[in-house]
Amino acid sequence: MENNTDNNSSNSPLLPFRVGMGYDVHKLVEGRDLILGGIKIDNDRGLLGHSDADVLIHAISDALLGAANMRDIGYHFPDTSDATLNMDSKIILRKVVDLIATKGYMVGNIDATVCAEHPKLNPHIPAMQECLAKVMGCDADAVSIKATTTEHLGFTGREEGISAYAVAMIIRK
């Protein structure tokens, strides 16, 4: 295989699958809804951000974009744009899936972890999986979501914010 330093060159071969990793974090504040995995979760605080601040969707979006070598969500959906102000992150995710499709890829599977001390997220995971699968056009079994705490350590442990990690495999159509 020829070594090509131009990652966006049309001469680069499309691999049958690629993997990307994403991470996001947002601060918890009063007066905002808590949206995670595309669903509203009853909580006294929500996440602060330019959009709806859904850290799970943002991490997944970055993982998908990274797998396709298409930069990150900040590049495609800048937090300085009026068009993205208060945007539903499900719209971002749908557009990301459309973007990776322009390079001949679709979602293979997602493995994500949300780090939060409170609220307990396990009861909400099936609804998140169904929601995200519908947005991405894949089977819910292809969307793994786990929840953990940081054992009261760091900003997450002090309940100052929530973070999420995601790994995505994209496959050639």
Side-chain angles (χ1 to χ4, degrees):
M1 185 161 68
E2 181 179 324
N3 184 5
N4 189 334
T5 57
D6 180 5
N7 291 332
N8 295 318
S9 170
S10 61
N11 295 330
S12 296
L14 284 177
L15 299 173
F17 65 89
R18 294 175 71 155
V19 177
M21 187 265 183
Y23 171 76
D24 195 35
V25 61
H26 283 279
K27 181 179 181 178
L28 280 164
V29 296
E30 292 183 7
R32 296 264 305 193
D33 288 336
L34 178 59
I35 309 295
L36 286 173
I39 66 167
K40 183 178 174 183
I41 297 173
D42 189 35
N43 197 46
D44 61 337
R45 294 181 293 160
L47 295 169
L48 180 62
H50 186 74
S51 66
D52 65 7
D54 187 328
V55 293
L56 179 55
I57 287 182
H58 294 181
I60 291 169
S61 295
D62 268 346
L64 290 166
L65 288 167
N69 192 18
M70 298 183 84
R71 305 199 50 176
D72 59 40
I73 62 170
Y75 176 80
H76 295 280
F77 308 96
D79 64 4
T80 54
S81 169
D82 288 341
T84 57
L85 183 61
N86 298 317
M87 181 180 269
D88 182 333
S89 291
K90 291 188 298 292
I91 294 169
I92 292 172
L93 182 58
R94 181 68 242 165
K95 289 182 178 189
V96 165
V97 170
D98 292 343
L99 279 170
I100 69 169
T102 67
K103 290 185 87 172
Y105 289 99
M106 60 187 239
V107 175
N109 75 294
I110 304 294
D111 184 21
T113 302
V114 180
C115 301
E117 294 295 326
H118 181 79
K120 294 300 178 196
L121 300 177
N122 279 322
H124 305 285
I125 288 176
M128 289 182 206
Q129 288 173 296
E130 289 293 331
C131 177
L132 295 174
K134 182 177 179 183
V135 171
M136 292 186 288
C138 65
D139 190 278
D141 189 54
V143 184
S144 170
I145 302 170
K146 302 172 302 294
T148 191
T149 69
T150 59
E151 301 295 329
H152 302 286
L153 298 172
F155 72 88
T156 303
R158 292 187 299 271
E159 297 185 36
E160 296 170 6
I162 295 177
S163 62
Y165 299 85
V167 175
M169 177 183 289
I170 58 175
I171 56 176
R172 190 172 175 185
K173 291 184 180 187

